[in-house]
Amino acid sequence: MKPPGDGRSSEDKGRELRSSLSNVGGTASYRGDESFAHPMRRILEAADDPAPSLAIHAFHSYPARMHPHIAREAVAAFAPEGGGSMLDPFCGGGTTIVEAMRAGWRTLASDINPLALALTRVRSTRRGEAGRERLLAAIEGVAQRSEDRVRGRVDVRAKLDAEERSWYEVHVLKELAGLLLEIDALEPAADREALRMVFSAIVVKFSKQRADTSHERVEKRIRKGLPTEFFARKGVELVEAWAELDAACEPKTRRPSVVRSDVRRLGQTLSGDFRADLILTSPPYGGTYDYADHHARRLAWLGMNAQAFRRDEIGSRRELAKARDGERRWAQQVEAMLAALAPRLSARGVALLVMGDGQVGGGRVPADRQIERLCVKAGLRFVGVASQSRRDYAGGAERNEHLIALELA
């Protein structure tokens, strides 16, 4: 694929000069093929853009999600004439899929996390007015029946083990169990999945877990009926976000394909002739997050089998952060990832990876240098990298986030 043209507006040029106002954004450095320098820097710096993103991106938290503006700029910068196809093999909450869909791309999302797949399907749903009205009625009905359960002190047993039940006050546990029981009785299945994601969006808030990425237990004063009220509000928020998304997409926009796959097994999951014009994804940052643990409350409530997810999750902190052979393990995982991505890239395609430096085996692993070193064996060419400094809350050396471009060699 040829590098995109400059096409800078005065606003674009001004944005390049602004300094970072938070832990994302700021001026990006660049090294590599100079024809990619401007678009790569502009994409990474897009997080500074004050323009609001689609409301659907704010529905349901997802740790370390890609910034919507970075996805938007990447899709716009590398769009081939006549449209194209995009693959995100670490789709997470579906940020890239939504932005590519809005731009008219054919999209394919995959992830090993079953929650990520359900959330991506819901976030990328095109609902007409009649479908939205139907869901609003379902939300109202579920909320009313849940309130009746709470007032009637109906005893409902949560389908959770003792460890999971310990994360909730008894009255909260019963109310959430009643809510989920009402949701799971809904038809059609699409409405049921949508409201299960609404439920998923509120679960951690009403547990004793401090936050998605913190397993510290804290006491929370939660009155009866509050989880139901939040569920109803979050459901209305989803419907309103769907209306905005529907208006932002062309009528003939194709529905994304969503498949479950370990990135290293894409060759077995996807058809042999599948090729993407753009692979846009944010792989795990080595030794930084534990997605299986971060989503443990949600996975348990929703009855999603996380065994394969926990076993095969790459880059997990629990495996790599302090392991003596952590760097070797992480390198093997990254090499396998690159080897699986190369055959999925079209001859003129580009792979864009948003990755932060790893914290592996007690040391720092620069993601850009690691990818540059390992991509050759996979049959890929390192095109260039735009990088920004990030605040390292754990202390220690400077930590960077990178936008890395690769092509077929």
Side-chain angles (χ1 to χ4, degrees):
M1 181 180 289
K2 293 180 180 179
D6 188 323
R8 288 182 292 173
S9 66
S10 59
E11 184 178 354
D12 289 329
K13 294 175 182 177
R15 187 160 65 241
E16 288 183 5
L17 300 176
R18 290 204 297 269
S19 59
S20 176
L21 299 178
S22 67
N23 195 39
V24 295
T27 301
S29 62
Y30 179 82
R31 66 181 180 83
D33 185 334
E34 285 301 318
S35 62
F36 280 75
H38 173 71
M40 292 282 286
R41 290 180 60 199
R42 189 176 72 223
I43 292 167
L44 199 56
E45 291 171 3
D48 274 345
D49 192 337
S53 60
L54 288 172
I56 197 68
H57 291 308
F59 170 73
H60 201 296
S61 64
Y62 203 96
R65 66 176 183 139
M66 185 183 293
H67 197 291
H69 289 165
I70 289 177
R72 180 199 62 196
E73 288 286 345
V75 166
F78 289 91
E81 293 184 11
S85 58
M86 192 204 77
L87 165 67
D88 186 347
F90 296 98
C91 66
T95 300
T96 62
I97 300 303
V98 167
E99 289 301 322
M101 185 177 73
R102 180 167 72 159
W105 289 58
R106 299 184 301 276
T107 55
L108 193 150
S110 72
D111 206 294
I112 196 173
N113 181 359
L115 177 68
L117 303 179
L119 182 54
T120 294
R121 283 192 296 266
V122 170
R123 273 185 169 169
S124 60
T125 293
R126 297 285 305 282
R127 282 283 183 108
E129 186 174 357
R132 297 195 299 269
E133 290 296 328
R134 186 185 72 216
L135 193 67
L136 281 173
I139 293 165
E140 184 177 351
V142 167
Q144 183 60 60
R145 291 189 292 275
S146 177
E147 289 174 2
D148 292 344
R149 286 176 177 275
V150 172
R151 284 196 297 268
R153 298 183 179 181
V154 177
D155 189 25
V156 185
R157 184 172 178 81
K159 296 178 181 179
L160 303 174
D161 61 27
E163 167 61 21
E164 280 298 323
R165 292 197 301 271
S166 73
W167 285 96
Y168 305 88
E169 294 294 339
V170 173
H171 72 282
V172 173
L173 192 68
K174 290 180 178 180
E175 185 170 348
L176 289 174
L179 256 176
L180 189 58
L181 195 65
E182 294 295 340
I183 292 167
D184 284 345
L186 288 175
E187 294 290 347
D191 287 359
R192 187 165 62 247
E193 181 173 62
L195 294 194
R196 280 167 68 87
M197 287 302 97
V198 173
F199 179 89
S200 175
I202 70 169
V203 162
V204 174
K205 183 178 183 65
F206 292 104
S207 73
K208 297 177 183 179
Q209 184 173 323
R210 178 178 289 280
D212 278 351
T213 56
S214 169
H215 277 243
E216 179 185 357
R217 290 179 184 253
V218 295
E219 295 301 316
K220 300 178 183 178
R221 299 183 63 181
I222 301 170
R223 63 173 172 80
K224 292 182 178 180
L226 190 61
T228 300
E229 290 177 20
F230 266 75
F231 167 82
R233 290 180 208 165
K234 183 62 73 171
V236 172
E237 176 188 316
L238 173 61
V239 173
E240 292 174 346
W242 271 349
E244 181 191 35
L245 176 63
D246 193 51
C249 294
E250 295 294 329
K252 294 183 179 180
T253 298
R254 301 184 187 186
R255 185 174 184 175
S257 297
V258 182
V259 297
R260 185 173 184 180
S261 179
D262 182 330
V263 65
R264 295 164 292 188
R265 299 186 179 92
L266 281 175
Q268 290 79 48
T269 305
L270 306 181
S271 63
D273 60 351
F274 175 83
R275 300 291 184 275
D277 300 301
L278 176 65
I279 295 177
L280 176 60
T281 194
S282 184
Y285 300 1
T288 303
Y289 294 101
D290 288 312
Y291 289 102
D293 292 338
H294 298 331
H295 293 302
R297 309 285 83 76
R298 299 181 175 110
L299 292 165
W301 273 108
L302 298 174
M304 293 179 169
N305 187 343
Q307 183 175 356
F309 176 26
R310 176 174 288 277
R311 182 190 67 229
D312 297 333
E313 179 184 358
I314 74 169
S316 67
R317 180 171 55 194
R318 63 182 176 275
E319 177 188 359
L320 301 176
K322 295 181 180 179
R324 290 184 179 180
D325 62 343
E327 287 197 36
R328 180 187 61 81
R329 290 192 210 177
W330 179 224
Q332 288 176 338
Q333 292 173 3
V334 172
E335 187 173 337
M337 172 191 74
L338 295 172
L341 293 183
R344 307 275 70 88
L345 194 61
S346 70
R348 295 173 60 83
V350 173
L352 296 178
L353 311 181
V354 178
M355 292 186 71
D357 293 339
Q359 187 65 35
V360 177
R364 186 63 45 81
V365 178
D368 58 329
R369 300 292 180 182
Q370 183 188 48
I371 295 292
E372 185 175 14
R373 183 178 72 254
L374 297 177
C375 72
V376 178
K377 190 174 180 180
L380 294 165
R381 182 178 77 88
F382 181 86
V383 176
V385 57
S387 305
Q388 290 175 324
S389 177
R390 293 286 184 260
R391 186 180 304 118
D392 187 355
Y393 293 102
E398 181 182 80
R399 197 167 191 174
N400 294 306
E401 189 167 64
H402 312 278
L403 175 67
I404 305 164
L406 305 169
E407 292 179 329
L408 291 177

